[in-house]
Amino acid sequence: ARGRILSAYLSAVDAVEKTTGVPFAAHVTLREYLHIAAARLAAAAEPFMQLTTVTETALYSQRRADENTAAAAEQLADIIKRELRDGTT
């Protein structure tokens, strides 16, 4: 499940980078990237915040991510990509 969450996050970051022109730099944390990019995301900002939180939990928590969490992460990534693609930003 953790791999699915990370994959969902990275696919969302790819869309965010392409849409906003804000690269995800190696020295930036997930939370820092959220704050940098959020101002340019409009409708996608809220789901990106949620996905960032889910991803941070998957990466840093002692608790194992389950399949429901992975599915939710994938759904959030899809919402983000759709919002960015449809131009509601």
Side-chain angles (χ1 to χ4, degrees):
R2 182 176 178 217
R4 286 175 56 198
I5 293 168
L6 296 177
S7 179
Y9 180 78
L10 292 174
S11 73
V13 166
D14 184 56
V16 169
E17 286 178 323
K18 288 176 180 169
T19 303
T20 65
V22 176
F24 189 98
H27 66 278
V28 174
T29 67
L30 277 64
R31 184 68 39 176
E32 289 169 335
Y33 186 70
L34 168 65
H35 290 296
I36 293 165
R40 300 181 187 185
L41 294 178
E46 178 65 25
F48 191 59
M49 183 202 63
Q50 293 172 6
L51 180 57
T52 298
T53 300
V54 169
T55 305
E56 288 171 332
T57 301
L59 285 172
Y60 308 121
S61 175
Q62 300 268 347
R63 189 172 50 98
R64 280 185 145 319
D66 60 22
E67 293 304 313
N68 290 336
T69 304
E74 291 165 344
Q75 186 175 29
L76 286 166
D78 288 343
I79 291 167
I80 294 161
K81 291 184 277 190
R82 185 171 54 250
E83 291 288 349
L84 294 175
R85 181 187 66 237
D86 293 346
T88 57
T89 59

